[in-house]
Amino acid sequence: MITTYIGIGSNISPEKNVKIAIDELHQLGEVTKVSTVYEAEPVGFSGHNFFNLVVELKVNHSLGELGALLRAIEIKWGREVNAKKNQDRTLDLDILLYGDLVSESDPKLPREDLFKFAFAILPMVELNPDLIIPSTQRTISEIWAEFPYSQSLKPALLNLTF
């Protein structure tokens, strides 16, 4: 099995859609860890706040299969097929890491979110602080310690039981 980390985001009915996303991930493999759900302001556009978290998931799917399955889940739960990057969304599922794979093609891995956004970095620190990010030789904790941006995050008041 491959250990992968999936970023989950929603700012349309986020309480419902975050729970749906985790339920759906249980169908794809073994959910081994779930971070705190954080509330964050949208980046790059004006809209409702997002709920964001990261799930550690062990899968037998290839990277291509996993990407297609995640996309199908997004669409199943109301994401527009032609959704733009910076807009409100019911569900956003991103592969942050797929084992130790480094890829410059789509999907680019490790995903750039792990260097750019607090809502991806902090949940990863919570799940696996000593994880060395492939191609960097730095742990996710080291990346967080050097993170220069001031993005406001606060734990969302959401009861997740699995």
Side-chain angles (χ1 to χ4, degrees):
M1 294 189 100
I2 299 286
T3 300
T4 184
Y5 291 87
I6 309 298
I8 300 172
S10 174
N11 76 337
I12 298 174
S13 301
E15 299 88 352
K16 175 185 92 169
N17 286 315
V18 163
K19 291 177 182 179
I20 285 169
I22 296 170
D23 286 343
E24 290 280 0
L25 291 179
H26 276 285
Q27 305 306 309
L28 300 184
E30 180 186 351
V31 172
T32 51
K33 295 180 186 176
V34 178
S35 77
T36 299
V37 178
Y38 292 95
E39 185 175 348
E41 293 179 353
V43 176
F45 71 102
S46 294
H48 299 290
N49 283 356
F50 275 83
F51 279 14
N52 295 98
L53 68 149
V54 173
V55 171
E56 182 183 86
L57 177 69
K58 294 184 186 264
V59 297
N60 287 320
H61 302 289
S62 70
L63 177 59
E65 291 170 339
L66 181 60
L69 290 166
L70 295 176
R71 179 80 173 135
I73 291 167
E74 290 173 339
I75 292 167
K76 173 182 175 182
W77 293 102
R79 181 165 177 175
E80 297 174 21
V81 175
N82 297 321
K84 294 181 177 41
K85 182 172 174 64
N86 293 326
Q87 71 179 59
D88 294 326
R89 59 195 66 226
T90 54
L91 202 50
D92 190 22
L93 302 172
D94 296 318
I95 302 169
L96 302 174
L97 293 172
Y98 182 84
D100 291 330
L101 184 65
V102 175
S103 171
E104 291 298 323
S105 60
D106 191 26
K108 186 175 179 186
L109 295 172
R111 189 171 175 92
E112 290 182 0
D113 293 7
L114 291 175
F115 310 98
K116 293 170 53 175
F117 301 119
F119 61 76
I121 305 168
L122 184 57
M124 286 290 297
V125 170
E126 181 183 327
L127 294 181
N128 196 342
D130 298 323
L131 179 68
I132 296 173
I133 302 303
S135 80
T136 70
Q137 305 312 311
R138 296 186 301 161
T139 66
I140 192 67
S141 292
E142 290 170 330
I143 292 168
W144 178 246
E146 298 167 6
F147 189 66
Y149 306 105
S150 60
Q151 295 173 335
S152 174
L153 288 183
K154 63 180 179 182
L157 300 176
L158 185 62
N159 183 16
L160 296 178
T161 54
F162 297 98

